[in-house]
Amino acid sequence: MPLNRTLSVSSLPGLEDWDDEFDLENTVLFEVAWEVANKVGGIYTVLQTKAKVTGDEWGDNYYLVGPYTEQGVRTQVELLEPPTPALKRTLDSMNSKGCKFLAQSEEKPHVVAHFHEWLAGIGLCLCRARRLPVATIFTTHATLLGRYLCAGAVDFYNNLENFNVDKEAGERQIYHRYCMERAAAHCAHVFTTVSQITAIEAQHLLKRKPDIVTPNGLNVKKFSAMHEFQNLHAQSKARIQEFVRGHFYGHLDFNLDKTLYFFIAGRYEFSNKGADVFLEALARLNYLLRVNGSEQTVVAFFIMPARTNNFNVETLKGQAVRKQLWDTANTVKEKFGRKLYESLLVGSLPDMNKMLDKEDFTMMKRAIFATQRQSFPPVCTHNMLDDSSDPILTTIRRIGLFNSSADRVKVIFHPEFLSSTSPLLPVDYEEFVRGCHLGVFPSYYEPWGYTPAECTVMGIPSVSTNLSGFGCFMEEHIADPSAYGIYILDRRFRGLDDSCSQLTSFLYSFCQQSRRQRIIQRNRTERLSDLLDWKYLGRYYMSARHMALAKAFPEQFTYEPHEADATQGYRYPRPASVPPSPSLSRHSSPHQSEDEEEPRDGPPDEDGERYDEDEEAAKDRRNIRAPEWPRRASCTSSTGGSKRGSVDTAPSSSVSTPSEPLSPASSLGEERN
């Protein structure tokens, strides 16, 4: 049974940078989850993106175990012969006797089995019940009961300690699943979860405090030059603009160069994902833009899969009309160019009155006539099966955002995941995100939040909340998140109406930014991607595995917990110049034209300070380094005394009440000087 449940790491550099490699020669890691090569939700992304880092660490001793699905095998699995005789004998035995053996090795290895979520947790319980010599880890990415309670519109976070968990699970007919999840959490040698907010939730609902928090990361692709990802944004935005031209044909009375693209994406949980708050804020934003005579237009996308039977005919017609106009323009352009070429070839200037004939004008008039439209552009791109009761469509009818010409905020509900093969919006999700200006994720229940994390690594600002794991993580490690394009909405200590007002303020301030300010902000946002790289966050999983080995095999591995010292932690400082939004400070806003491509060495601001993007980037790169700290705990082999690795610890209180990180001056003063 668990020996110690006090280890947790609340700050990013809370783990040592191990100098010695952990001896994995006779150690095997199995990672078990329902979403191995089986995309259902965010756990698939965790496993897929983490596989490279874990594979680099464990080599051929790393195995992923998941359900066998024909689709998953065909598209994501490369069939190979077992790399070792022991594994081959094991698989042959499993095939012939029904998964009864796992002990075929000549030398008994130290086995670490990492189980994700309650679906895989039953295997963990059986391992402990049968007293198998396996070091077990259980990770809950979201508690089952927590998700159900939040979907029921309860005041969840203010009543965590008051819930009768058995009664609540029974009333929702999930008691059997809840018991499996709770049993797995208590049977595991090491229990982890993905964020501080979920650690608090697990402590109350599963009745065990997580031993360590293992934040989710991503594989970050770094660009050699800052302008590369800015160019990708411009290219992807052009693809979105083409769709918008077709969708709003006949009502394209707004300037696309002054149009911002916001979006929300994810599982269709209307309240949990914050779609209700986003829609209400959009209605208020529409009012503010109209009464203030703003020239900005906002197109808000809702990318949430729902039950549909096909594309909306009117939506498909819009793209057909756009294509017809493009073909007509190209035909006229070719005829015009041919006549111009022939005129220049004989050495005379063309007669402009003869460049276009009646046939050309007739063709263009027909094309213009085809763009006439009596109805408003559709809000939904598909035919919904439950149109009358759909939460998003019902709310849109209530707030009156019907894509009229008077509206400065337009809404497009795309109830299907994006695909580059779609006849409507042929872009994949990554390209779509790169082309947008702001991701909005005002979730009430979000244990981690991969959508804002993906925005960050692609340099796209986003709105998150202090009830999401990502939002809490960024608040802890960034002194002023909004300065880096991470807007943290308060949904824990504010009521729903106040949260809507705060989100409206964020959106309106973002609309007031100049193009130059948005470019600067995207540069800053992209620099935060190092915080989310598996190359760094993977160390939390390493620590969990080392801890599990120490608890399961105390004769071979030992670890001694110590209190955290004051040298740990840091906060990413606020940039010294150029505020990201006019609402924050108008005194240092740069004076620059709207059409500047990319700010490098800008003019001095009103305080006389010159802004240099490269110089600021270099400072931020230095700030992200973890400070040096002494070794404080280690796993050692009791037989030979050789160092096996190290495990850093922090006080148990840091799970339920995260400690306040140090100021930049105290944690990184030596590097800055």
Side-chain angles (χ1 to χ4, degrees), residues 542-555:
M542 294 171 65
S543 176
R545 293 190 287 264
H546 294 182
M547 191 191 313
L549 284 169
K551 291 182 178 181
F553 308 107
E555 295 182 357

Side-chain angles (χ1 to χ4, degrees), residues 60-262:
D60 290 338
N61 291 343
Y62 175 46
Y63 302 96
L64 285 161
V65 181
Y68 182 95
T69 62
E70 288 292 339
Q71 178 68 16
V73 170
R74 284 198 303 267
T75 59
Q76 302 183 59
V77 176
E78 181 182 356
L79 298 178
L80 300 172
E81 289 297 320
T84 63
L87 182 60
K88 186 178 188 307
R89 290 196 301 271
T90 301
L91 294 177
D92 291 341
S93 177
M94 291 169 66
N95 288 330
S96 61
K97 299 181 180 180
C99 303
K100 293 182 180 179
F101 297 92
L102 266 170
Q104 298 289 334
S105 179
E106 290 82 1
E107 298 182 11
K108 290 186 178 180
H110 299 114
V111 177
V112 181
H114 192 155
F115 300 85
H116 295 264
E117 288 295 297
W118 68 272
L119 288 164
I122 189 66
L124 187 154
C125 297
L126 290 174
C127 286
R128 299 309 304 277
R130 297 175 181 178
R131 300 182 181 276
L132 299 182
V134 176
T136 57
I137 305 171
F138 180 67
T139 296
T140 179
H141 296 258
T143 68
L144 189 67
L145 184 56
R147 191 178 294 278
Y148 273 81
L149 287 170
C150 287
V154 300
D155 188 4
F156 180 67
Y157 291 98
N158 290 325
N159 291 283
L160 272 174
E161 67 278 3
N162 301 325
F163 288 119
N164 184 332
V165 291
D166 295 304
K167 175 177 177 292
E168 297 289 350
E171 288 180 350
R172 287 160 177 79
Q173 300 183 3
I174 58 168
Y175 189 68
H176 57 301
R177 288 183 277 170
Y178 167 74
C179 287
M180 285 192 287
E181 181 182 44
R182 184 168 171 177
H186 283 265
C187 287
H189 289 102
V190 174
F191 174 41
T192 81
T193 188
V194 297
S195 64
Q196 294 291 340
I197 194 73
T198 312
I200 300 171
E201 174 187 339
Q203 183 179 355
H204 287 93
L205 300 187
L206 299 181
K207 307 304 180 182
R208 177 177 177 180
K209 181 183 297 184
D211 299 288
I212 188 170
V213 171
T214 52
N216 292 334
L218 288 164
N219 291 326
V220 177
K221 176 184 177 183
K222 304 303 293 184
F223 296 97
S224 57
M226 187 69 70
H227 62 80
E228 289 186 36
F229 85 92
Q230 296 282 6
N231 292 340
L232 288 175
H233 166 73
Q235 295 167 11
S236 300
K237 184 177 71 172
R239 300 288 299 276
I240 297 175
Q241 285 179 331
E242 284 301 296
F243 167 78
V244 169
R245 287 187 176 99
H247 191 82
F248 290 93
Y249 82 91
H251 291 270
L252 198 64
D253 51 3
F254 52 93
N255 187 350
L256 288 179
D257 291 332
K258 294 185 178 180
T259 299
L260 301 177
Y261 300 111
F262 299 169

